[in-house]
Amino acid sequence: MNKLLKSFVKFGLILCIISTAAQAKTSATEQIPVLKQDEVHQVVAKRVTNFFTQSHYRDFSLDGAFSAKIFDRYFKLLDGNKTIFLQDDVNKFRNRQEQLGQELMDGDLKTAYDIYNLFLQKRYNRYQYALEVLQRPMDFNTKDQINFKREDMAWPTSEKELDEYWDKRVKYDELNLSLTGKNEGQIREVLTKRYQRVLKTIVQSNNEDCFQVFMNAFAREIDPHTSYLAPRKKRDFDSEMSLSFEGIGATLSQQDDYTVIMSFVTGGPAEKSKLLSVGDRIIGVGQSNSAIEDVIGWRLDDIVDKIRGPKNTVVKLEILPVGNNSKPKVIEITRDKIHFEDREAKLKTIDNSRGKIGVIEIPSFYIGLTKKVESLIIEANSAKLQGLVIDLRDNGGGSLAEVIELTGLFIDSGPVVQVRDNLQKITTYNDKNKGIEYAGPIVVMINRYSASASEIFSAAMQDYGRAVIVGETTYGKGTVQTSRNISYPVDARLHPKWPELGGAQYTVQKFYRINGGSTQLKGVVPDIEMTKSQYVDETGERFLDNAMPWDKIPSADYLTVANIKPLLANLKSQHQARIANNPEFNYIEEDIKRFNDKKDNEYLVSLNKNERETEQKANDDRDLKRMNERLNRAGLAQITKLKDLPKDYKQPDAFLDEAVEILLDLIPNYPSIEASKIRGGFLSLDKPIE
């Protein structure tokens, strides 16, 4: 399983790419490259195709019909909003659509590269056109609108039709800057740099860019969670699962043609060296045994690849220190293992007049999560906390092994999840570690971005009666992925000069609750919905066009740990009474209604400055009014502008606050758990064991 939500919050590796608008003008002598397949890509294409056709859960044939679907998805990945290609461009390649499957099996992706080269040329032309539009007088008094929902439209049939869209697209960019107070000269300066930066990126395209997009068009046509992982994507995936990577621990951004240091990881090699400062520009990179290469104007991800490397190796950086009159200097830094401590599970204690409870926030199911949570539970037990809130909001999943182990901390022993493979064999994964590590009452928080491993955990806790599940219905991802290296062990000996080959991630199983139901498409429905209304949006597996279907299997053999169903009706009524008079929940209901009312026109944006300013003022006035109401309730001074809000002010988390209240309602009535099932016989409740 892997993380999949947009917000979903893909936490970046610390050497991350932060886009900025600034970029020097593209030289007239620079040429758009003609990309062609690297020799090693033939090997990668064949191996990935073999993985997908032989081992994927979904039974499919790489025939002409399926090839045609790959063709359409490839164009969708390249130009989903239909702002680059014309219908004639698509038609030009239509007679080759059914041969894509054979090209994949042969490892010869000529059609893919021909299409991509046309895409680069046409995208370049579009941004050149945008620069021309930018020179026209700006008029924000028309009734023009721009529609950003174009994927269901027909392909444009003429360049004139595309010009009309790009006229509005540039005007949209101009208006956004005008609304920030910039004048025409300033707007042109910012957008010229922004568009020229795109042109520079197009010129710097490489063969891997095309290969990656096409292989993922193939992968995503099989199912939404199958992927080809290019070498750097494979490294990012591995780092995400382990919450660590090996490098120097600096965050970089691109400004003009320079790579600039933005921040440091506390305790990382870059910070500890004292040789670098925020604002320093990296103009050259080399290894301990090689000369320094000039990297001005390089793509940031290529620079990141050169700086990152194995622990205890040395990277040489040529630095232009911050300041106008600084001289370049060369420094050396020894790489080390960098840990993302901010992404680890955390415990915080809430102590109020009703009781003392703990909140464990789990951002992802990373390798080592269970050991971390176990240490937090020891801390919670030592503090005699009366209950726990486990926050899985926005948690997109992670390791299947970790979710099984984690569930085992809260149940005695027994099944946690069932899986079925492509041979229809059902396997039950059990918690084999007898005894309950934490036996107190639990509330689990979920939302529509909680997926995969989060759904396995919350479903198991619900089926065992171990926790009250609160929030929104989850995402609905009920499939299990495996990740494989594309390289074979023998490759290093037979082909020592080969570069990294990356990885493949693909669906191998579907998982099922221990009660036999599937979370696929349907998700986990909470015991208590946090709000009266729900967002009517397209978040969730059921909105993906080739997602696996829902089904069910027989129930596993299990016994509930506690029977909390009789308590739910009373918990719901207490919850509803509270939120009816809670200003924060009233705000949320207003926001949901406003979003749902605008749903049909959410992608239609006015290009009239007065209309946008009126809308913006209404939003600002509403936000300011709400903020002053919050400040008044907190006994704090009111503000006249949102920017005057104290920097240390923390906005209430209404959902978390209410989850705490639900837990406090649950505590006095939570059924006692048999003492013999608790490890060490310890139960952190302020009442005797019955």
Side-chain angles (χ1 to χ4, degrees):
M1 291 176 292
N2 66 320
K3 292 177 70 97
L4 36 99
L5 307 175
K6 56 182 181 183
S7 77
F8 285 166
V9 186
K10 177 170 178 170
F11 68 90
L13 297 175
I14 210 68
L15 285 174
C16 64
I17 299 173
I18 302 176
S19 299
T20 65
Q23 176 64 32
K25 188 171 182 179
T26 306
S27 167
T29 62
E30 290 181 310
Q31 298 294 319
I32 301 171
V34 177
L35 305 185
K36 59 183 180 180
Q37 185 173 326
D38 290 338
E39 185 177 342
V40 76
H41 283 154
Q42 183 172 37
V43 175
V44 175
K46 286 181 176 181
R47 291 184 183 180
V48 171
T49 301
N50 186 60
F51 291 157
F52 292 171
T53 55
Q54 300 300 314
S55 304
H56 199 281
Y57 183 89
R58 175 167 267 163
D59 183 23
F60 70 97
S61 176
L62 200 49
D63 55 17
F66 195 86
S67 295
K69 292 180 180 179
I70 297 172
F71 178 88
D72 289 334
R73 190 165 296 275
Y74 186 40
F75 272 95
K76 186 175 182 179
L77 289 183
L78 291 174
D79 185 20
N81 272 336
K82 299 177 179 172
T83 62
I84 304 293
F85 287 120
L86 298 176
Q87 182 67 64
D88 284 348
D89 297 324
V90 181
N91 292 344
K92 183 188 305 181
F93 296 97
R94 185 67 73 178
N95 65 340
R96 296 159 67 178
Q97 66 177 1
E98 293 190 1
Q99 69 191 48
L100 294 182
Q102 190 60 53
E103 290 186 4
L104 281 162
M105 289 186 282
D106 294 342
D108 181 9
L109 308 182
K110 184 177 187 317
T111 301
Y113 279 86
D114 288 347
I115 293 171
Y116 200 89
N117 283 321
L118 178 63
F119 165 71
L120 290 180
Q121 181 64 62
K122 300 213 66 166
R123 188 163 183 254
Y124 190 93
N125 293 345
R126 278 293 126 206
Y127 277 92
Q128 288 282 27
Y129 179 76
L131 287 170
E132 294 173 15
V133 175
L134 199 55
Q135 304 311 310
R136 300 174 188 170
M138 299 179 190
D139 181 5
F140 303 130
N141 297 313
T142 67
K143 291 295 184 182
D144 287 343
Q145 293 179 313
I146 186 169
N147 187 354
F148 285 106
K149 189 173 177 62
R150 297 171 53 85
E151 62 265 27
D152 295 329
M153 296 181 180
W155 289 100
T157 58
S158 68
E159 293 293 341
K160 182 175 180 295
E161 196 176 339
L162 279 178
D163 287 349
E164 290 171 356
Y165 166 81
W166 280 87
D167 290 345
K168 292 181 178 181
R169 169 65 184 274
V170 174
K171 188 174 182 178
Y172 170 80
D173 290 344
E174 293 171 341
L175 179 54
N176 283 346
L177 291 172
S178 177
L179 291 170
T180 68
K182 287 183 168 56
N183 59 37
E184 282 197 16
Q186 293 169 321
I187 291 170
R188 286 196 176 94
E189 181 181 2
V190 170
L191 292 182
T192 296
K193 289 180 178 179
R194 182 184 301 176
Y195 297 160
Q196 286 175 342
R197 175 62 193 156
V198 175
L199 293 172
K200 185 86 167 181
T201 303
I202 294 170
V203 169
Q204 293 177 336
S205 297
N206 58 47
N207 299 335
E208 179 67 47
D209 294 334
C210 170
F211 187 76
Q212 185 175 173
V213 176
F214 181 70
M215 293 305 293
N216 275 310
F218 170 31
R220 297 302 165 83
E221 191 53 46
I222 306 170
D223 91 305
H225 309 292
T226 293
S227 304
Y228 159 67
L229 302 174
R232 66 166 55 102
K233 294 288 185 184
K234 178 67 165 62
R235 291 194 296 272
D236 290 355
F237 174 81
D238 293 341
S239 298
E240 185 170 324
M241 291 302 294
S242 64
L243 290 193
S244 67
F245 78 101
E246 293 179 348
I248 67 170
T251 305
L252 308 179
S253 74
Q254 203 150 41
Q255 296 176 8
D256 296 327
D257 276 340
Y258 292 99
T259 299
V260 181
I261 294 173
M262 302 296 291
S263 64
F264 302 107
V265 178
T266 302
E271 184 198 48
K272 289 195 290 189
S273 74
K274 306 298 183 186
L275 297 173
L276 294 167
S277 301
V278 171
D280 286 353
R281 288 169 286 179
I282 299 174
I283 59 176
V285 181
Q287 310 310 316
S288 59
N289 57 354
S290 66
I292 288 178
E293 286 185 84
D294 185 289
V295 295
I296 296 175
W298 280 31
R299 290 174 16 154
L300 185 54
D301 50 4
D302 290 335
I303 298 172
V304 167
D305 277 351
K306 287 189 71 65
I307 295 174
R308 189 182 295 158
K311 179 180 177 178
N312 295 328
T313 60
V314 172
V315 61
K316 295 187 291 191
L317 302 177
E318 185 174 6
I319 300 297
L320 197 58
V322 62
N324 293 329
N325 299 317
S326 55
K327 295 181 179 180
K329 64 178 181 178
V330 175
I331 64 170
E332 294 187 358
I333 297 179
T334 301
R335 302 175 176 104
D336 201 351
K337 195 159 193 173
I338 311 298
H339 295 275
F340 299 99
E341 293 182 359
D342 61 325
R343 295 293 300 170
E344 286 188 324
K346 297 178 183 66
L347 171 70
K348 72 175 180 180
T349 301
I350 295 177
D351 192 357
N352 61 31
S353 59
R354 294 189 65 195
K356 184 179 179 183
I357 62 96
V359 177
I360 296 180
E361 180 185 354
I362 301 178
S364 69
F365 284 82
Y366 58 88
I367 305 300
L369 169 67
T370 305
K371 282 187 172 57
K372 178 65 177 179
V373 173
E374 195 167 6
S375 71
L376 299 178
I377 288 174
I378 292 171
E379 188 180 334
N381 282 335
S382 298
K384 297 192 182 302
L385 300 185
Q386 296 169 275
L388 288 178
V389 172
I390 298 177
D391 188 352
L392 297 181
R393 290 176 296 172
D394 301 333
N395 183 322
S399 165
L400 178 61
E402 286 293 340
V403 73
I404 294 165
E405 285 190 53
L406 185 72
T407 306
L409 299 180
F410 305 103
I411 65 173
D412 182 21
S413 63
V416 174
V417 64
Q418 303 183 90
V419 299
R420 181 162 63 183
D421 63 21
N422 60 356
L423 299 177
Q424 304 305 300
K425 178 186 174 184
I426 297 172
T427 303
T428 301
Y429 290 107
N430 295 281
D431 163 41
K432 296 178 181 178
N433 191 2
K434 287 192 68 67
I436 298 173
E437 191 72 28
Y438 182 82
I442 300 171
V443 164
V444 175
M445 296 183 69
I446 54 174
N447 65 7
R448 63 192 188 279
Y449 303 117
S450 305
S452 200
S454 293
E455 295 174 289
I456 294 175
F457 179 79
S458 52
M461 297 290 276
Q462 190 175 54
D463 290 344
Y464 274 109
R466 189 62 188 86
V468 176
I469 314 300
V470 305
E472 300 175 289
T473 299
T474 57
Y475 189 85
K477 178 182 177 290
T479 56
V480 183
Q481 284 71 45
T482 189
S483 177
R484 289 190 61 172
N485 288 321
I486 293 170
S487 60
Y488 298 151
V490 73
D491 289 342
R493 181 169 55 83
L494 297 180
H495 308 285
K497 294 185 179 180
W498 275 5
E500 291 181 77
L501 301 187
Q505 178 179 285
Y506 52 94
T507 302
V508 291
Q509 297 167 322
K510 290 178 74 174
F511 67 74
Y512 299 83
R513 302 172 66 133
I514 56 176
N515 70 9
S518 173
T519 61
Q520 178 66 7
L521 305 185
K522 295 186 178 183
V524 175
V525 179
D527 298 313
I528 299 176
E529 290 275 3
M530 195 61 86
T531 57
K532 291 181 287 187
S533 307
Q534 283 76 46
Y535 283 98
V536 182
D537 63 6
E538 295 187 356
T539 299
E541 187 90 357
R542 66 189 182 279
F543 295 105
L544 302 179
D545 57 8
N546 59 344
M548 299 279 191
W550 179 90
D551 58 0
K552 63 185 297 186
I553 61 174
S555 171
D557 185 15
Y558 71 99
L559 295 174
T560 56
V561 175
N563 183 15
I564 60 173
K565 284 187 179 179
L567 307 177
L568 294 178
N570 192 43
L571 292 173
K572 285 179 187 177
S573 64
Q574 290 173 290
H575 160 68
Q576 289 165 356
R578 264 192 308 272
I579 67 171
N581 300 307
N582 185 318
E584 293 296 334
F585 276 88
N586 291 335
Y587 299 154
I588 292 166
E589 291 293 335
E590 290 170 8
D591 291 344
I592 293 173
K593 183 178 186 306
R594 189 169 59 254
F595 176 87
N596 291 344
D597 288 347
K598 285 184 64 177
K599 185 178 183 303
D600 292 339
N601 295 313
E602 64 178 311
Y603 296 102
L604 199 61
V605 180
S606 170
L607 297 178
N608 181 283
K609 187 173 182 178
N610 288 334
E611 289 180 12
R612 291 282 296 279
E613 285 179 332
T614 300
E615 183 180 357
Q616 184 173 291
K617 185 177 186 306
N619 290 337
D620 289 345
D621 288 347
R622 181 183 62 250
D623 292 344
L624 180 61
K625 179 175 179 291
R626 288 180 178 181
M627 187 55 66
N628 277 323
E629 290 171 353
R630 289 186 180 109
L631 293 171
N632 184 57
R633 289 193 293 271
L636 300 173
Q638 304 228 333
I639 56 176
T640 56
K641 295 178 182 177
L642 285 169
K643 67 179 182 180
D644 297 332
L645 190 68
K647 287 185 170 50
D648 59 350
Y649 176 77
K650 204 169 179 184
Q651 188 165 309
D653 184 341
F655 289 163
L656 178 58
D657 292 343
E658 178 57 21
V660 169
E661 294 298 325
I662 293 171
L663 176 60
L664 291 167
D665 290 339
L666 172 66
I667 288 170
N669 303 301
Y670 188 78
S672 295
I673 294 174
E674 187 180 329
S676 63
K677 295 181 179 179
I678 303 167
R679 292 174 201 167
F682 181 77
L683 181 62
S684 59
L685 288 175
D686 289 340
K687 65 177 185 178
I689 298 172
E690 298 171 0

